[in-house]
Amino acid sequence: MTFDALLAKVRYEGAYPTRERAQEVTLQVLAALGRQLTGDERVALAARLPLEAALEFTGQAPAAERLTGWGFIKDLALRTGTTPAVARWNTGTVFSVLAQLTEPALLDQILDQLPEGYALLFGRPELRPRQGQAA
């Protein structure tokens, strides 16, 4: 997928008024995800992104603190000067497009690495217990 195609998909899915707004949202969310995802999953996801998106995603140093899905939304809202509702919309839009770019096995690996609360952001129900938690 080209960067323009990625932005067109995000623009359509998120009902953003302009390509520029879709680009801004996409890069903000990818940067935030880049701070949370590490290891092989980070490399594999970056390989599926267009170059411009991959550079923004991998250009972020991993955060010292692992954020839950809700923590991710609050952090994104704070960094972008939006409300948590807008940050949730933006994240859900970009993550749903990312989910379409990756095969289910990779998305499972990504979700296994991230703390609780990300499955819903990717458009999946969080049905299985997290590693280390009782059923």
Side-chain angles (χ1 to χ4, degrees):
M1 175 178 280
T2 67
F3 190 58
D4 284 336
L6 174 67
L7 295 181
K9 187 102 173 119
V10 169
R11 182 177 179 194
Y12 177 79
E13 296 287 334
Y16 298 109
T18 64
R19 178 193 184 280
E20 291 74 23
R21 180 65 182 137
Q23 179 174 337
E24 179 183 23
V25 165
T26 300
L27 296 179
Q28 288 171 345
V29 172
L30 286 174
L33 183 59
R35 290 187 287 276
Q36 294 298 309
L37 196 59
T38 61
D40 293 339
E41 294 80 11
R42 178 182 171 110
V43 173
L45 180 57
R48 284 159 181 77
L49 295 172
L51 179 61
E52 299 90 331
L55 289 173
E56 186 69 26
F57 172 68
T58 60
Q60 306 302 311
E65 179 185 1
R66 301 292 303 252
L67 300 173
T68 64
W70 176 237
F72 182 91
I73 296 300
K74 291 190 302 186
D75 182 65
L76 184 63
L78 182 65
R79 289 176 185 267
T80 60
T82 63
T83 66
V86 170
R88 169 62 179 92
W89 178 265
N90 294 343
T91 299
T93 299
V94 175
F95 280 11
S96 71
V97 173
L98 291 180
Q100 295 169 31
L101 292 177
T102 62
E103 65 272 358
L106 175 58
L107 189 53
D108 287 343
Q109 292 170 348
I110 289 169
L111 291 173
D112 283 344
Q113 186 192 121
L114 294 169
E116 69 180 24
Y118 283 84
L120 289 173
L121 296 173
F122 277 98
R124 284 188 168 185
E126 196 154 18
L127 298 176
R128 53 196 163 121
R130 304 297 299 171
Q131 291 177 346
Q133 293 180 345

